[in-house]
Amino acid sequence: EASLGSGKWLQVVLQVRVRPESFAVCSGTLTNKHWPRDLLFDPNFKSLQELEWLLEDAAHATVVGIMVRQLGHGADPALFGEVAPQVSDQGQGPEYEYTRLRAEEFRR
C-alpha cells in the first residue's frame, strides 16, 4: 500500500500469468491471525487450502494487469467498494483496518 497523504492510501495488486507447472499450490498464509477462521476468504475457495501459489523463478511469471484501489478519506464507494472510504489508520496500519472491515462486510 502507498500513502496518498493524510488518511488516504492506494492498494495495488498485480495480475500475473504463470507458466503451467512452474509453481507449487500452497495453503493460504493469512490464517486466522488477520482473517476469521470461520469465514470464507474468497467465495471461489472452500478453505485456505490451495489459495496461494509459490513460484521460485520470477521468469515464469508475466505481469498482465495492475489493479488499484483507493482506501480512506475520499474513496468512491461506487468504484472501490463500500468499506474503502471507512478505512483509517487504527494503529496496526490501514491494510489491517481494511481486512477487518472486509471481514465484517462478509458477515452481513
Side-chain angles (χ1 to χ4, degrees):
E1 297 194 16
S3 177
L4 294 174
S6 181
K8 298 180 182 184
W9 301 272
L10 286 181
Q11 180 183 51
V12 179
V13 177
L14 299 178
Q15 180 182 13
V16 296
R17 184 169 294 157
V18 178
R19 186 175 69 79
E21 301 178 20
S22 68
F23 58 91
V25 178
C26 306
S27 293
T29 55
L30 201 57
T31 65
N32 66 333
K33 182 176 181 182
H34 302 293
W35 192 261
R37 184 170 293 200
D38 64 322
L39 188 60
L40 286 179
F41 183 75
D42 183 319
N44 297 303
F45 293 86
K46 299 291 182 204
S47 71
L48 292 178
Q49 302 296 93
E50 302 183 353
L51 184 65
E52 296 180 12
W53 293 2
L54 176 62
L55 184 67
E56 297 287 345
D57 186 347
H60 294 164
T62 302
V63 175
V64 296
I66 300 173
M67 297 168 274
V68 179
R69 176 187 332 226
Q70 180 181 344
L71 301 174
H73 179 71
D76 182 349
L79 188 59
F80 301 115
E82 70 178 62
V83 300
Q86 299 173 36
V87 174
S88 62
D89 191 351
Q90 295 290 320
Q92 287 188 340
E95 64 273 26
Y96 297 108
E97 177 68 3
Y98 178 71
T99 300
R100 184 188 68 74
L101 290 166
R102 285 291 286 172
E104 288 176 6
E105 181 181 45
F106 278 27
R107 288 203 188 278
R108 288 186 237 143

